[in-house]
Amino acid sequence: MLTSDFYFDLPPELIAQHPSGVRGQDKLMLLNRVTGAVEHHIMDDLPSFIEPGTLMIFNNSRVRRARVYGIKETTGRETEFMFLNTIDKECCVWNVMVKSAKKQKPGMKYKFPDGTVAEIIDHEGNAGTEFRALKFDFAINEDWFERNGHIPLPPYIKRGDTEEDSERYQNVYATDTGSAACPTAGLHFTEEMLARLDAAGIERCFVTLHVGLGTFLPVRESNIEDHKMHEEWYTIPPETAAAINKAKREGRPILAVGTTSVRTLESAARSLAEASSGTEASGKTEWVRAGTSSTRIFMYPGYKFNVVDKMFTNFHTPESTLIMLVSAFAGRENIMNAYKTAVENRYRFFSYGDCMLIV
């Protein structure tokens, strides 16, 4: 299957540059993944499309102020760094994505706004990539990012971050800081909407997957099967694993909110299958287990879903791994037709855009 099979024309003015005026006041497309039928609604209608007893899974990762600007000591020029994850246990060495990476070489030092200095060091696997290893003399923490960092708005939002983004580029239920990009499907949910779902008998649990910018890297290979996915870490708490396994045993649907929740659940299912002796589905008592692990799972058409029955998601960029994932779930033709319809009906796209429920 070709990367170009997932291309669609998107007028630039449909790429949302700001959040909607009020959180949760967005368009909602309802897509039937069996028939391909599309209906147009608003986010306020969501509870009426979810049957009581459904288990919704949310990613509670909180966005770090991960975009930080440093001054190169030798030239005085400003360089943008995106902090992704720690490389050593003491948090003194960080994996970062850096602009003009070819020019950023080991031994170069950078001063950050509070006077902190860090140095690029050699790290296996970074050669020829957008990533570098940045070493500090002490462990930096979330307070450091709050003092020095900016909200890491994605590159298709063509403006700097503002105080509004500090609130709106963050899910209302986010608790565990660590993402370099927001799990944006959750941006449509308000405390009022969560209360309405509770009142409708819809169960809710959380997983944690800290989003790295590898999610947004382009698929550079012509054949999607040749693409290598980035690594991300996820955690499934014991209470969430128990709720998922109970719902599956009882035949109740699992609705994943966002592609990160999908990646977490399907990765956990694959990990369990590999660790087990291959129990028949009819005799299953477990679909996932609690714990922390990493994943490079890549879902594209042909992938068989093991846990997720329904999906709530945003509209994704052309030729991205994310549009390939939703195409695996709903069928490429259904997704491409739905996206064409969304363009025709002037839906807003990407992080601050409108949303879709796939049933």
Side-chain angles (χ1 to χ4, degrees):
M1 188 167 286
L2 300 177
T3 299
S4 58
D5 291 335
F6 299 89
Y7 177 80
F8 65 95
D9 286 318
L10 179 65
E13 65 270 18
L14 295 185
I15 300 174
Q17 298 297 308
H18 295 271
S20 56
V22 177
R23 188 190 291 264
Q25 293 189 356
D26 307 295
K27 291 181 181 179
L28 169 66
M29 177 181 285
L30 181 65
L31 171 63
N32 186 308
R33 66 181 176 131
V34 177
T35 66
V38 166
E39 296 178 11
H40 303 290
H41 299 277
I42 58 174
M43 182 63 188
D44 198 52
D45 300 330
L46 179 67
S48 64
F49 303 128
I50 305 175
E51 62 188 272
T54 296
L55 174 59
M56 295 183 72
I57 305 295
F58 293 79
N59 180 6
N60 65 6
S61 181
R62 186 173 178 82
V63 181
R64 170 180 288 130
R65 297 181 74 90
R67 176 176 282 125
V68 189
Y69 296 90
I71 302 297
K72 186 182 291 187
E73 286 195 339
T74 54
T75 65
R77 290 183 179 176
E78 187 175 73
T79 301
E80 178 185 312
F81 294 91
M82 190 71 72
F83 284 70
L84 303 178
N85 56 274
T86 56
I87 294 175
D88 74 352
K89 293 181 180 179
E90 288 74 29
C91 303
C92 296
V93 181
W94 281 75
N95 183 37
V96 298
M97 182 181 285
V98 58
K99 285 196 172 182
S100 304
K102 290 182 180 179
K103 298 179 181 179
Q104 318 307 328
K105 302 181 185 301
M108 291 182 173
K109 294 183 177 181
Y110 303 82
K111 181 178 288 188
F112 294 97
D114 67 350
T116 305
V117 175
E119 177 183 350
I120 291 182
I121 62 172
D122 284 313
H123 183 65
E124 183 180 358
N126 279 350
T129 72
E130 298 92 339
F131 305 101
R132 293 292 182 268
L134 200 57
K135 184 180 187 304
F136 293 81
D137 290 332
F138 60 93
I140 61 174
N141 55 25
E142 297 308 326
D143 288 339
W144 187 89
F145 286 105
E146 287 297 318
R147 293 195 307 271
N148 294 278
H150 295 261
I151 298 296
L153 296 177
Y156 45 73
I157 294 181
K158 307 295 185 182
R159 61 177 177 81
D161 63 309
T162 66
E163 281 305 309
E164 179 186 38
D165 298 307
S166 298
E167 176 202 357
R168 295 297 300 275
Y169 195 67
Q170 201 77 264
N171 291 316
V172 297
Y173 49 79
T175 56
D176 192 346
T177 301
S179 279
C182 184
T184 53
L187 293 179
H188 305 280
F189 291 85
T190 63
E191 294 291 355
E192 179 187 12
M193 174 57 70
L194 295 175
R196 288 180 59 198
L197 294 170
D198 291 342
I202 298 161
E203 194 177 356
R204 180 170 75 252
C205 282
F206 297 95
V207 297
T208 304
L209 182 143
H210 293 314
V211 185
L213 289 189
T215 299
F216 302 102
L217 290 177
V219 178
R220 296 188 174 96
E221 291 78 9
S222 297
N223 295 307
I224 64 173
E225 292 88 349
D226 297 330
H227 178 68
K228 304 300 181 186
M229 284 293 287
H230 56 288
E231 183 179 41
E232 292 173 315
W233 286 87
Y234 66 86
T235 298
I236 299 181
E239 60 272 21
T240 297
I244 291 169
N245 291 324
K246 184 173 186 290
K248 296 299 283 186
R249 288 194 299 270
E250 295 173 352
R252 293 185 285 116
I254 306 294
L255 196 170
V257 176
T259 56
T260 58
S261 295
V262 174
R263 284 172 54 78
T264 298
L265 299 181
E266 295 298 320
S267 296
R270 174 182 287 184
S271 178
L272 180 57
E274 291 173 350
S276 69
S277 57
T279 307
E280 290 296 322
S282 58
K284 266 192 177 183
T285 59
E286 279 188 304
W287 281 257
V288 301
R289 285 181 182 163
T292 296
S293 187
S294 66
T295 180
R296 294 180 182 271
I297 194 169
F298 182 20
M299 287 172 273
Y300 51 86
Y303 176 84
K304 181 180 181 298
F305 286 79
N306 296 291
V307 179
V308 178
D309 303 298
K310 300 179 181 182
M311 188 187 309
F312 181 92
T313 185
N314 278 11
F315 291 88
H316 305 294
T317 54
E319 300 184 334
S320 65
T321 61
L322 302 180
I323 194 172
M324 294 171 190
L325 185 157
V326 295
S327 294
F329 189 70
R332 191 193 73 86
E333 185 175 342
N334 288 343
I335 287 293
M336 301 312 288
N337 286 339
Y339 274 49
K340 182 175 182 291
T341 301
V343 170
E344 292 169 349
N345 285 270
R346 311 297 289 177
Y347 277 66
R348 301 166 76 239
F349 278 70
F350 309 160
S351 294
Y352 275 148
D354 295 310
C355 51
M356 173 189 288
L357 176 64
I358 307 174
V359 298

